[in-house]
Amino acid sequence: MGKSAFIGSLIVLILANCTHLTRADSFVAADYLKNDGFRLFQIEKFYQAKLDFKKKNYQKSCDLLEVIEIKKDSTKQLILYNKALCYWHLNDWQNFISASQDIKYPFIKNLIVKVIGASLAQKKHPKIFLTADINQLLKVFPELFANKKLISLYLKKLTASTDVNKLLKNLWFRSYSSNISSSLPKKLRTKFNRIVNQASLADWEKYFLIRLQKNRFSSLIKTAPPIIKKFKKQKKYPATLMKYYVQSLSAANHHTSLLNYLSKKENKTLFKFFPREIHSLYISSLVKKGYLEKAYKYANDLQASKVSHSTKGYVYLVLGNYLFFWKQDLKAALIVLNKINIKHIKIDDLEQLQWQKLFSAIITKNKPVTNKLYVWYKKHKFNSEALDSHFCYWIHNKANELIDIKEKSAINCYHQFSNQYYGLRSIVNNEFDYYKESLLKKSPLPLADKIPDKDTLQFIEFIRITTDFSEHRVAELFLKHDFSKSKDLGYLKTIADSFNQDKLYYLSQNLYFSVLKVKSLDKELFHLSFLESIYPLAFQKIVATTAKNFSVPVSLVYAIMREESHYNHLATSTVGATGLMQLMHGTAKQMSNQLKANIKKQDFNIPDNNILLGTYYLKKLLKTFDGHLVYTIAGYNAGPRNVKKWMKKYKTTDTDIFIEMIPFGETRRYVKKVLRSYFAYEIIYQHHD
């Protein structure tokens, strides 16, 4: 049989057994069948390799991965990641390091570092460490210097050819253990201590910076004073080290220590080296300690000094932020913020400053300031679309008594900022019904679905297979990397729709969140079919049933799910929240007990269970807050106790004001994101009710 006939027969055999291909693959599979059976053959080899890996047939898996022929760079990197894992489990050091060295994407290397770390955490280390050249491993994955067990293993395997001094210096830079010296053998300990004692100022700057970037504040605070003192004695002014030390004190909330340190005469020169950073840290510590009169005096005295206008303005901005967000003294905040010369402030700071002034002026009914800001708003070209939408909504909907505005409000803001919270908020209680109707009556989407090129289609199939084997995070990272810069929305919609049809909602969300995170959709593209793709009815049956049983708005359940997990049922937060609705174990257990559902801890992230428990929790919050949507959403994120405290403090019935006054930045942003999704689901799907 000839080669082409053999391949043809093989492709037919593969097609007959391609059970992993999904029903959403029709447009993909048809293209392969007609024109490119060879690519389909590569896909099947990848699927078989993953299957063999799952069955621990590592040699077979590695052999298959070696013969897959790929053109697209992202797909090559995915193959290399799988090769590295395969050879790691096969204890094949040479091939593992060979695959790892060819990996270009930092996020893949981070994934492999986690695998190596997990292997080292086992009581019995994998056999691969018997043949491993750990020096080579550390060159490829320098992050592993922070792994005590690996370093301990390395020290036992040191050879005469090893550059010990270079190793020990790297160990000093990257190991976060405070007692690393004592864990070394005596000979190495002496060398290590000599390297540390002879370290240059530049070495210590690098050492401090690494710890600052990794939030190792306590280590830095303990280490810094004697080192700074040492260089001062050598007549070398360690300004950068001192700055890092002050930044660590601030980050660790050691405000008294910071104020005392900067008040000492010998440290005053630091203000000249880094005026903006040090002055802002100083006044920030004053206000956080409650020394408000001192902070006012400090900011006012600074205006007569020779520091730059930018520094003067930034110090007032820090003081104004404190009065605005934490004291909620809007009159005082407005007085301070109005002192800033906007000509001498950075664009991002400027827009935030002007927004805080506008909000304060509207709430305190300051007509002159509101009008002045309105004139500025009409002329200014915004860098931040989010803050632009803030201005649009508040000027057109909240400043009617203070300024004369003739433009039609909701239409204007909605069209400009369709993907922003305040864009959708603009049509709620105004032209909401009108817009629902106009959306449904629009002509077909002017954006035709576009079939991606063959290499991209192949990459998508590899991503699907990756999710088939529960490697959701890997799939998300690759998608984000590959499509984050794409501007072709029709192209993205085609891919996202195929994911949604296959119930891989988190993959479609990953695409949209990557691309539409910053900019709004053009108004011509903001069409029903596109919106349904961005806001899918994920897990529709269980959501509908549970929401109805507990009398919770369906759109609220979807909005919470979308913003909490992007519909990834395996999502786990850094604090331990789990599942589609990101429930903490304590909350999930409490809801399970109250429902007498007897759901075990390991089953909390199962979609049906998580939706049941999360929706029941929403029911309880809605009851606590008399059905008030904003308080309920804020309570889901920050806890009901905090929300009750804020309600008592602010005493406002205006939910727009309440949201902007929430002192927790994370909760304030969260409420807006969930409400944006809630409004979108209401607009898109209420006609189905």
Side-chain angles (χ1 to χ4, degrees), residues 208-209 212 217-228 232 238-254 256-262 264 267 270 274 278 281:
F208 279 19
L209 181 60
L212 193 64
F217 307 124
S218 58
S219 169
L220 204 155
I221 290 167
K222 184 179 178 181
T223 310
I227 302 303
I228 290 169
K232 280 184 176 180
T240 304
L241 296 187
M242 293 166 71
K243 182 183 79 166
Y244 292 156
Y245 175 58
V246 172
Q247 287 174 330
S248 296
L249 289 172
S250 177
N253 293 317
H254 293 188
T256 301
S257 297
L258 184 149
L259 293 170
N260 291 336
Y261 185 77
L262 290 176
K264 290 179 180 178
N267 298 328
L270 196 58
F274 309 103
I278 303 303
L281 288 170

mmCIF file of all heavy atoms in Angstrom, residues 208-209 212 217-228 232 238-254 256-262 264 267 270 274 278 281:
data_model
loop_
_atom_site.group_PDB
_atom_site.id
_atom_site.type_symbol
_atom_site.label_atom_id
_atom_site.label_comp_id
_atom_site.label_asym_id
_atom_site.label_seq_id
_atom_site.Cartn_x
_atom_site.Cartn_y
_atom_site.Cartn_z
ATOM 1 N N PHE A 208 16.867 43.701 48.249
ATOM 2 C CA PHE A 208 15.691 44.364 48.838
ATOM 3 C C PHE A 208 14.540 44.432 47.839
ATOM 4 O O PHE A 208 13.382 44.221 48.204
ATOM 5 C CB PHE A 208 16.063 45.785 49.282
ATOM 6 C CG PHE A 208 16.758 45.846 50.622
ATOM 7 C CD1 PHE A 208 17.357 44.724 51.173
ATOM 8 C CD2 PHE A 208 16.828 47.026 51.332
ATOM 9 C CE1 PHE A 208 18.009 44.769 52.391
ATOM 10 C CE2 PHE A 208 17.473 47.094 52.559
ATOM 11 C CZ PHE A 208 18.069 45.961 53.090
ATOM 12 N N LEU A 209 14.855 44.759 46.594
ATOM 13 C CA LEU A 209 13.813 44.911 45.576
ATOM 14 C C LEU A 209 13.065 43.600 45.353
ATOM 15 O O LEU A 209 11.828 43.592 45.231
ATOM 16 C CB LEU A 209 14.427 45.396 44.260
ATOM 17 C CG LEU A 209 13.433 45.611 43.101
ATOM 18 C CD1 LEU A 209 12.380 46.645 43.469
ATOM 19 C CD2 LEU A 209 14.177 46.028 41.835
ATOM 20 N N LEU A 212 10.691 43.154 48.189
ATOM 21 C CA LEU A 212 9.595 44.125 48.114
ATOM 22 C C LEU A 212 8.563 43.689 47.080
ATOM 23 O O LEU A 212 7.351 43.756 47.320
ATOM 24 C CB LEU A 212 10.164 45.501 47.754
ATOM 25 C CG LEU A 212 9.238 46.712 47.923
ATOM 26 C CD1 LEU A 212 8.871 46.924 49.376
ATOM 27 C CD2 LEU A 212 9.892 47.964 47.359
ATOM 28 N N PHE A 217 7.671 41.834 53.391
ATOM 29 C CA PHE A 217 7.922 43.081 54.114
ATOM 30 C C PHE A 217 8.603 42.852 55.464
ATOM 31 O O PHE A 217 9.515 43.586 55.840
ATOM 32 C CB PHE A 217 6.621 43.857 54.302
ATOM 33 C CG PHE A 217 5.867 44.093 53.031
ATOM 34 C CD1 PHE A 217 4.545 43.694 52.889
ATOM 35 C CD2 PHE A 217 6.485 44.701 51.945
ATOM 36 C CE1 PHE A 217 3.853 43.901 51.720
ATOM 37 C CE2 PHE A 217 5.797 44.913 50.761
ATOM 38 C CZ PHE A 217 4.478 44.505 50.648
ATOM 39 N N SER A 218 8.147 41.848 56.212
ATOM 40 C CA SER A 218 8.710 41.625 57.553
ATOM 41 C C SER A 218 10.196 41.286 57.475
ATOM 42 O O SER A 218 10.999 41.755 58.289
ATOM 43 C CB SER A 218 7.944 40.513 58.273
ATOM 44 O OG SER A 218 7.986 39.310 57.525
ATOM 45 N N SER A 219 10.575 40.480 56.455
ATOM 46 C CA SER A 219 11.973 40.129 56.261
ATOM 47 C C SER A 219 12.801 41.370 55.953
ATOM 48 O O SER A 219 13.897 41.569 56.488
ATOM 49 C CB SER A 219 12.099 39.108 55.124
ATOM 50 O OG SER A 219 13.435 38.919 54.742
ATOM 51 N N LEU A 220 12.264 42.223 55.101
ATOM 52 C CA LEU A 220 12.974 43.426 54.691
ATOM 53 C C LEU A 220 13.110 44.407 55.864
ATOM 54 O O LEU A 220 14.169 45.005 56.075
ATOM 55 C CB LEU A 220 12.224 44.082 53.530
ATOM 56 C CG LEU A 220 13.032 44.996 52.603
ATOM 57 C CD1 LEU A 220 12.370 45.045 51.236
ATOM 58 C CD2 LEU A 220 13.141 46.390 53.161
ATOM 59 N N ILE A 221 12.028 44.557 56.638
ATOM 60 C CA ILE A 221 12.038 45.478 57.783
ATOM 61 C C ILE A 221 13.078 45.045 58.819
ATOM 62 O O ILE A 221 13.762 45.879 59.423
ATOM 63 C CB ILE A 221 10.630 45.551 58.418
ATOM 64 C CG1 ILE A 221 9.667 46.291 57.471
ATOM 65 C CG2 ILE A 221 10.662 46.241 59.775
ATOM 66 C CD1 ILE A 221 8.210 46.160 57.843
ATOM 67 N N LYS A 222 13.224 43.745 58.988
ATOM 68 C CA LYS A 222 14.195 43.219 59.952
ATOM 69 C C LYS A 222 15.629 43.380 59.454
ATOM 70 O O LYS A 222 16.548 43.708 60.222
ATOM 71 C CB LYS A 222 13.891 41.733 60.209
ATOM 72 C CG LYS A 222 14.772 41.096 61.266
ATOM 73 C CD LYS A 222 14.383 39.631 61.463
ATOM 74 C CE LYS A 222 15.301 38.959 62.482
ATOM 75 N NZ LYS A 222 14.952 37.524 62.662
ATOM 76 N N THR A 223 15.832 43.168 58.168
ATOM 77 C CA THR A 223 17.188 43.164 57.597
ATOM 78 C C THR A 223 17.732 44.564 57.330
ATOM 79 O O THR A 223 18.936 44.812 57.463
ATOM 80 C CB THR A 223 17.194 42.367 56.269
ATOM 81 O OG1 THR A 223 16.574 41.104 56.469
ATOM 82 C CG2 THR A 223 18.599 42.160 55.755
ATOM 83 N N ALA A 224 16.860 45.490 56.935
ATOM 84 C CA ALA A 224 17.307 46.771 56.385
ATOM 85 C C ALA A 224 18.117 47.668 57.326
ATOM 86 O O ALA A 224 19.187 48.156 56.927
ATOM 87 C CB ALA A 224 16.094 47.535 55.847
ATOM 88 N N PRO A 225 17.659 47.937 58.568
ATOM 89 C CA PRO A 225 18.367 48.944 59.397
ATOM 90 C C PRO A 225 19.867 48.722 59.564
ATOM 91 O O PRO A 225 20.649 49.667 59.339
ATOM 92 C CB PRO A 225 17.614 48.867 60.738
ATOM 93 C CG PRO A 225 16.240 48.438 60.355
ATOM 94 C CD PRO A 225 16.435 47.465 59.241
ATOM 95 N N PRO A 226 20.333 47.508 59.923
ATOM 96 C CA PRO A 226 21.794 47.346 60.073
ATOM 97 C C PRO A 226 22.556 47.504 58.763
ATOM 98 O O PRO A 226 23.701 47.988 58.758
ATOM 99 C CB PRO A 226 21.940 45.921 60.631
ATOM 100 C CG PRO A 226 20.664 45.228 60.323
ATOM 101 C CD PRO A 226 19.617 46.273 60.310
ATOM 102 N N ILE A 227 21.956 47.110 57.656
ATOM 103 C CA ILE A 227 22.630 47.236 56.353
ATOM 104 C C ILE A 227 22.730 48.708 55.962
ATOM 105 O O ILE A 227 23.771 49.173 55.470
ATOM 106 C CB ILE A 227 21.870 46.434 55.266
ATOM 107 C CG1 ILE A 227 21.756 44.963 55.655
ATOM 108 C CG2 ILE A 227 22.548 46.590 53.913
ATOM 109 C CD1 ILE A 227 23.075 44.274 55.926
ATOM 110 N N ILE A 228 21.659 49.449 56.181
ATOM 111 C CA ILE A 228 21.668 50.892 55.884
ATOM 112 C C ILE A 228 22.732 51.591 56.733
ATOM 113 O O ILE A 228 23.500 52.434 56.242
ATOM 114 C CB ILE A 228 20.264 51.495 56.139
ATOM 115 C CG1 ILE A 228 19.268 50.982 55.079
ATOM 116 C CG2 ILE A 228 20.308 53.019 56.120
ATOM 117 C CD1 ILE A 228 17.822 51.297 55.368
ATOM 118 N N LYS A 232 26.118 53.729 55.500
ATOM 119 C CA LYS A 232 26.271 55.121 55.929
ATOM 120 C C LYS A 232 27.654 55.339 56.553
ATOM 121 O O LYS A 232 28.296 56.370 56.339
ATOM 122 C CB LYS A 232 25.176 55.493 56.934
ATOM 123 C CG LYS A 232 23.830 55.828 56.292
ATOM 124 C CD LYS A 232 22.838 56.289 57.344
ATOM 125 C CE LYS A 232 21.527 56.718 56.718
ATOM 126 N NZ LYS A 232 20.549 57.169 57.741
ATOM 127 N N PRO A 238 22.837 55.192 51.196
ATOM 128 C CA PRO A 238 22.014 54.135 50.567
ATOM 129 C C PRO A 238 20.564 54.584 50.363
ATOM 130 O O PRO A 238 19.622 54.013 50.941
ATOM 131 C CB PRO A 238 22.109 52.998 51.585
ATOM 132 C CG PRO A 238 22.224 53.701 52.911
ATOM 133 C CD PRO A 238 22.951 54.982 52.654
ATOM 134 N N ALA A 239 20.359 55.600 49.549
ATOM 135 C CA ALA A 239 19.026 56.198 49.380
ATOM 136 C C ALA A 239 17.989 55.185 48.902
ATOM 137 O O ALA A 239 16.862 55.141 49.422
ATOM 138 C CB ALA A 239 19.110 57.360 48.396
ATOM 139 N N THR A 240 18.363 54.371 47.934
ATOM 140 C CA THR A 240 17.404 53.398 47.386
ATOM 141 C C THR A 240 17.030 52.357 48.434
ATOM 142 O O THR A 240 15.853 51.981 48.547
ATOM 143 C CB THR A 240 17.986 52.708 46.133
ATOM 144 O OG1 THR A 240 18.339 53.707 45.180
ATOM 145 C CG2 THR A 240 16.969 51.762 45.516
ATOM 146 N N LEU A 241 18.008 51.891 49.218
ATOM 147 C CA LEU A 241 17.703 50.944 50.292
ATOM 148 C C LEU A 241 16.752 51.561 51.306
ATOM 149 O O LEU A 241 15.823 50.917 51.785
ATOM 150 C CB LEU A 241 18.993 50.517 51.017
ATOM 151 C CG LEU A 241 20.050 49.740 50.234
ATOM 152 C CD1 LEU A 241 21.149 49.274 51.185
ATOM 153 C CD2 LEU A 241 19.452 48.554 49.517
ATOM 154 N N MET A 242 16.982 52.827 51.628
ATOM 155 C CA MET A 242 16.130 53.529 52.589
ATOM 156 C C MET A 242 14.705 53.671 52.052
ATOM 157 O O MET A 242 13.731 53.523 52.789
ATOM 158 C CB MET A 242 16.729 54.895 52.911
ATOM 159 C CG MET A 242 18.060 54.803 53.669
ATOM 160 S SD MET A 242 18.966 56.372 53.695
ATOM 161 C CE MET A 242 17.934 57.324 54.807
ATOM 162 N N LYS A 243 14.601 53.946 50.755
ATOM 163 C CA LYS A 243 13.267 54.059 50.142
ATOM 164 C C LYS A 243 12.517 52.730 50.235
ATOM 165 O O LYS A 243 11.340 52.686 50.602
ATOM 166 C CB LYS A 243 13.377 54.494 48.681
ATOM 167 C CG LYS A 243 12.008 54.665 48.003
ATOM 168 C CD LYS A 243 12.116 55.019 46.540
ATOM 169 C CE LYS A 243 12.425 53.824 45.681
ATOM 170 N NZ LYS A 243 12.215 54.073 44.235
ATOM 171 N N TYR A 244 13.208 51.629 49.897
ATOM 172 C CA TYR A 244 12.576 50.307 49.975
ATOM 173 C C TYR A 244 12.140 49.995 51.411
ATOM 174 O O TYR A 244 11.082 49.404 51.643
ATOM 175 C CB TYR A 244 13.544 49.223 49.488
ATOM 176 C CG TYR A 244 13.855 49.276 48.001
ATOM 177 C CD1 TYR A 244 15.039 48.733 47.499
ATOM 178 C CD2 TYR A 244 12.972 49.858 47.104
ATOM 179 C CE1 TYR A 244 15.337 48.769 46.143
ATOM 180 C CE2 TYR A 244 13.270 49.902 45.754
ATOM 181 C CZ TYR A 244 14.449 49.362 45.279
ATOM 182 O OH TYR A 244 14.735 49.399 43.939
ATOM 183 N N TYR A 245 12.960 50.415 52.372
ATOM 184 C CA TYR A 245 12.636 50.188 53.787
ATOM 185 C C TYR A 245 11.368 50.956 54.178
ATOM 186 O O TYR A 245 10.456 50.398 54.809
ATOM 187 C CB TYR A 245 13.814 50.632 54.653
ATOM 188 C CG TYR A 245 13.566 50.573 56.140
ATOM 189 C CD1 TYR A 245 13.212 49.375 56.761
ATOM 190 C CD2 TYR A 245 13.674 51.718 56.938
ATOM 191 C CE1 TYR A 245 12.988 49.318 58.131
ATOM 192 C CE2 TYR A 245 13.451 51.668 58.305
ATOM 193 C CZ TYR A 245 13.103 50.462 58.894
ATOM 194 O OH TYR A 245 12.871 50.398 60.238
ATOM 195 N N VAL A 246 11.285 52.215 53.771
ATOM 196 C CA VAL A 246 10.105 53.041 54.085
ATOM 197 C C VAL A 246 8.857 52.481 53.397
ATOM 198 O O VAL A 246 7.779 52.431 53.986
ATOM 199 C CB VAL A 246 10.364 54.510 53.659
ATOM 200 C CG1 VAL A 246 9.094 55.342 53.779
ATOM 201 C CG2 VAL A 246 11.459 55.116 54.517
ATOM 202 N N GLN A 247 9.011 52.040 52.152
ATOM 203 C CA GLN A 247 7.870 51.446 51.434
ATOM 204 C C GLN A 247 7.380 50.182 52.137
ATOM 205 O O GLN A 247 6.178 49.925 52.202
ATOM 206 C CB GLN A 247 8.277 51.125 49.991
ATOM 207 C CG GLN A 247 8.422 52.362 49.119
ATOM 208 C CD GLN A 247 8.972 52.049 47.738
ATOM 209 O OE1 GLN A 247 9.740 51.101 47.554
ATOM 210 N NE2 GLN A 247 8.606 52.847 46.760
ATOM 211 N N SER A 248 8.315 49.392 52.676
ATOM 212 C CA SER A 248 7.934 48.175 53.403
ATOM 213 C C SER A 248 7.209 48.514 54.696
ATOM 214 O O SER A 248 6.221 47.857 55.050
ATOM 215 C CB SER A 248 9.180 47.340 53.726
ATOM 216 O OG SER A 248 9.788 46.887 52.551
ATOM 217 N N LEU A 249 7.681 49.541 55.411
ATOM 218 C CA LEU A 249 7.003 49.976 56.638
ATOM 219 C C LEU A 249 5.566 50.391 56.338
ATOM 220 O O LEU A 249 4.631 50.052 57.072
ATOM 221 C CB LEU A 249 7.758 51.145 57.275
ATOM 222 C CG LEU A 249 9.109 50.834 57.931
ATOM 223 C CD1 LEU A 249 9.814 52.128 58.336
ATOM 224 C CD2 LEU A 249 8.932 49.927 59.143
ATOM 225 N N SER A 250 5.371 51.111 55.243
ATOM 226 C CA SER A 250 4.028 51.563 54.856
ATOM 227 C C SER A 250 3.143 50.379 54.480
ATOM 228 O O SER A 250 2.004 50.276 54.931
ATOM 229 C CB SER A 250 4.132 52.540 53.678
ATOM 230 O OG SER A 250 2.847 52.933 53.244
ATOM 231 N N ALA A 251 3.688 49.471 53.664
ATOM 232 C CA ALA A 251 2.909 48.309 53.209
ATOM 233 C C ALA A 251 2.523 47.399 54.368
ATOM 234 O O ALA A 251 1.473 46.768 54.343
ATOM 235 C CB ALA A 251 3.703 47.529 52.173
ATOM 236 N N ALA A 252 3.385 47.341 55.392
ATOM 237 C CA ALA A 252 3.121 46.488 56.558
ATOM 238 C C ALA A 252 2.325 47.223 57.644
ATOM 239 O O ALA A 252 2.141 46.696 58.744
ATOM 240 C CB ALA A 252 4.443 45.982 57.136
ATOM 241 N N ASN A 253 1.885 48.462 57.315
ATOM 242 C CA ASN A 253 1.100 49.290 58.260
ATOM 243 C C ASN A 253 1.869 49.637 59.533
ATOM 244 O O ASN A 253 1.272 49.826 60.593
ATOM 245 C CB ASN A 253 -0.225 48.595 58.622
ATOM 246 C CG ASN A 253 -1.165 48.504 57.433
ATOM 247 O OD1 ASN A 253 -1.308 49.472 56.680
ATOM 248 N ND2 ASN A 253 -1.785 47.355 57.246
ATOM 249 N N HIS A 254 3.186 49.755 59.431
ATOM 250 C CA HIS A 254 4.011 50.206 60.558
ATOM 251 C C HIS A 254 4.158 51.736 60.463
ATOM 252 O O HIS A 254 5.258 52.266 60.258
ATOM 253 C CB HIS A 254 5.379 49.533 60.517
ATOM 254 C CG HIS A 254 5.332 48.067 60.770
ATOM 255 N ND1 HIS A 254 6.474 47.299 60.934
ATOM 256 C CD2 HIS A 254 4.295 47.195 60.919
ATOM 257 C CE1 HIS A 254 6.133 46.036 61.140
ATOM 258 N NE2 HIS A 254 4.820 45.958 61.123
ATOM 259 N N THR A 256 3.704 54.286 62.626
ATOM 260 C CA THR A 256 4.440 55.000 63.673
ATOM 261 C C THR A 256 5.943 54.913 63.424
ATOM 262 O O THR A 256 6.668 55.910 63.514
ATOM 263 C CB THR A 256 4.097 54.426 65.065
ATOM 264 O OG1 THR A 256 2.690 54.538 65.284
ATOM 265 C CG2 THR A 256 4.840 55.172 66.155
ATOM 266 N N SER A 257 6.405 53.709 63.084
ATOM 267 C CA SER A 257 7.830 53.515 62.786
ATOM 268 C C SER A 257 8.253 54.349 61.585
ATOM 269 O O SER A 257 9.342 54.929 61.563
ATOM 270 C CB SER A 257 8.121 52.036 62.522
ATOM 271 O OG SER A 257 7.847 51.258 63.661
ATOM 272 N N LEU A 258 7.385 54.419 60.585
ATOM 273 C CA LEU A 258 7.693 55.196 59.380
ATOM 274 C C LEU A 258 7.830 56.682 59.723
ATOM 275 O O LEU A 258 8.793 57.344 59.301
ATOM 276 C CB LEU A 258 6.590 54.988 58.339
ATOM 277 C CG LEU A 258 6.793 55.645 56.966
ATOM 278 C CD1 LEU A 258 6.116 54.804 55.881
ATOM 279 C CD2 LEU A 258 6.228 57.056 56.909
ATOM 280 N N LEU A 259 6.888 57.206 60.492
ATOM 281 C CA LEU A 259 6.916 58.624 60.856
ATOM 282 C C LEU A 259 8.153 58.953 61.688
ATOM 283 O O LEU A 259 8.805 59.986 61.483
ATOM 284 C CB LEU A 259 5.647 58.997 61.619
ATOM 285 C CG LEU A 259 4.336 58.939 60.803
ATOM 286 C CD1 LEU A 259 3.127 59.091 61.717
ATOM 287 C CD2 LEU A 259 4.323 59.997 59.713
ATOM 288 N N ASN A 260 8.480 58.079 62.619
ATOM 289 C CA ASN A 260 9.670 58.285 63.454
ATOM 290 C C ASN A 260 10.948 58.254 62.617
ATOM 291 O O ASN A 260 11.861 59.062 62.814
ATOM 292 C CB ASN A 260 9.748 57.226 64.557
ATOM 293 C CG ASN A 260 8.662 57.401 65.602
ATOM 294 O OD1 ASN A 260 8.132 58.498 65.772
ATOM 295 N ND2 ASN A 260 8.320 56.333 66.305
ATOM 296 N N TYR A 261 11.006 57.312 61.678
ATOM 297 C CA TYR A 261 12.198 57.150 60.843
ATOM 298 C C TYR A 261 12.427 58.390 59.977
ATOM 299 O O TYR A 261 13.548 58.898 59.885
ATOM 300 C CB TYR A 261 12.041 55.910 59.967
ATOM 301 C CG TYR A 261 13.260 55.569 59.150
ATOM 302 C CD1 TYR A 261 14.363 54.951 59.732
ATOM 303 C CD2 TYR A 261 13.319 55.871 57.797
ATOM 304 C CE1 TYR A 261 15.490 54.638 58.987
ATOM 305 C CE2 TYR A 261 14.437 55.564 57.038
ATOM 306 C CZ TYR A 261 15.520 54.946 57.643
ATOM 307 O OH TYR A 261 16.639 54.647 56.897
ATOM 308 N N LEU A 262 11.358 58.865 59.344
ATOM 309 C CA LEU A 262 11.495 60.008 58.440
ATOM 310 C C LEU A 262 11.642 61.335 59.187
ATOM 311 O O LEU A 262 12.020 62.345 58.587
ATOM 312 C CB LEU A 262 10.289 60.071 57.492
ATOM 313 C CG LEU A 262 10.219 58.963 56.440
ATOM 314 C CD1 LEU A 262 8.948 59.069 55.622
ATOM 315 C CD2 LEU A 262 11.439 58.993 55.522
ATOM 316 N N LYS A 264 13.717 61.743 61.689
ATOM 317 C CA LYS A 264 15.111 61.859 62.140
ATOM 318 C C LYS A 264 15.920 62.704 61.157
ATOM 319 O O LYS A 264 15.777 62.578 59.941
ATOM 320 C CB LYS A 264 15.736 60.466 62.270
ATOM 321 C CG LYS A 264 15.160 59.658 63.429
ATOM 322 C CD LYS A 264 15.804 58.274 63.493
ATOM 323 C CE LYS A 264 15.221 57.467 64.651
ATOM 324 N NZ LYS A 264 15.787 56.100 64.722
ATOM 325 N N ASN A 267 17.846 61.237 58.186
ATOM 326 C CA ASN A 267 17.072 60.615 57.095
ATOM 327 C C ASN A 267 16.326 61.639 56.234
ATOM 328 O O ASN A 267 15.644 61.271 55.285
ATOM 329 C CB ASN A 267 16.072 59.606 57.664
ATOM 330 C CG ASN A 267 16.752 58.473 58.397
ATOM 331 O OD1 ASN A 267 17.865 58.073 58.028
ATOM 332 N ND2 ASN A 267 16.131 57.945 59.434
ATOM 333 N N LEU A 270 16.432 61.926 52.335
ATOM 334 C CA LEU A 270 15.643 60.998 51.516
ATOM 335 C C LEU A 270 14.522 61.720 50.775
ATOM 336 O O LEU A 270 14.159 61.329 49.657
ATOM 337 C CB LEU A 270 15.061 59.898 52.416
ATOM 338 C CG LEU A 270 14.524 58.650 51.742
ATOM 339 C CD1 LEU A 270 15.591 57.979 50.899
ATOM 340 C CD2 LEU A 270 14.002 57.668 52.776
ATOM 341 N N PHE A 274 13.804 61.182 46.582
ATOM 342 C CA PHE A 274 12.530 60.645 46.063
ATOM 343 C C PHE A 274 11.361 61.475 46.613
ATOM 344 O O PHE A 274 10.582 61.000 47.443
ATOM 345 C CB PHE A 274 12.365 59.174 46.475
ATOM 346 C CG PHE A 274 13.540 58.307 46.162
ATOM 347 C CD1 PHE A 274 14.435 57.922 47.150
ATOM 348 C CD2 PHE A 274 13.778 57.884 44.861
ATOM 349 C CE1 PHE A 274 15.527 57.129 46.868
ATOM 350 C CE2 PHE A 274 14.876 57.088 44.559
ATOM 351 C CZ PHE A 274 15.763 56.708 45.566
ATOM 352 N N ILE A 278 8.304 59.742 48.899
ATOM 353 C CA ILE A 278 8.492 59.865 50.345
ATOM 354 C C ILE A 278 7.484 60.828 50.972
ATOM 355 O O ILE A 278 6.915 60.549 52.033
ATOM 356 C CB ILE A 278 9.939 60.301 50.671
ATOM 357 C CG1 ILE A 278 10.934 59.287 50.069
ATOM 358 C CG2 ILE A 278 10.140 60.400 52.176
ATOM 359 C CD1 ILE A 278 10.742 57.854 50.529
ATOM 360 N N LEU A 281 4.153 58.995 51.109
ATOM 361 C CA LEU A 281 4.144 57.961 52.148
ATOM 362 C C LEU A 281 4.048 58.585 53.539
ATOM 363 O O LEU A 281 3.366 58.056 54.423
ATOM 364 C CB LEU A 281 5.410 57.097 52.046
ATOM 365 C CG LEU A 281 5.487 56.130 50.863
ATOM 366 C CD1 LEU A 281 6.880 55.522 50.750
ATOM 367 C CD2 LEU A 281 4.445 55.022 50.978
#
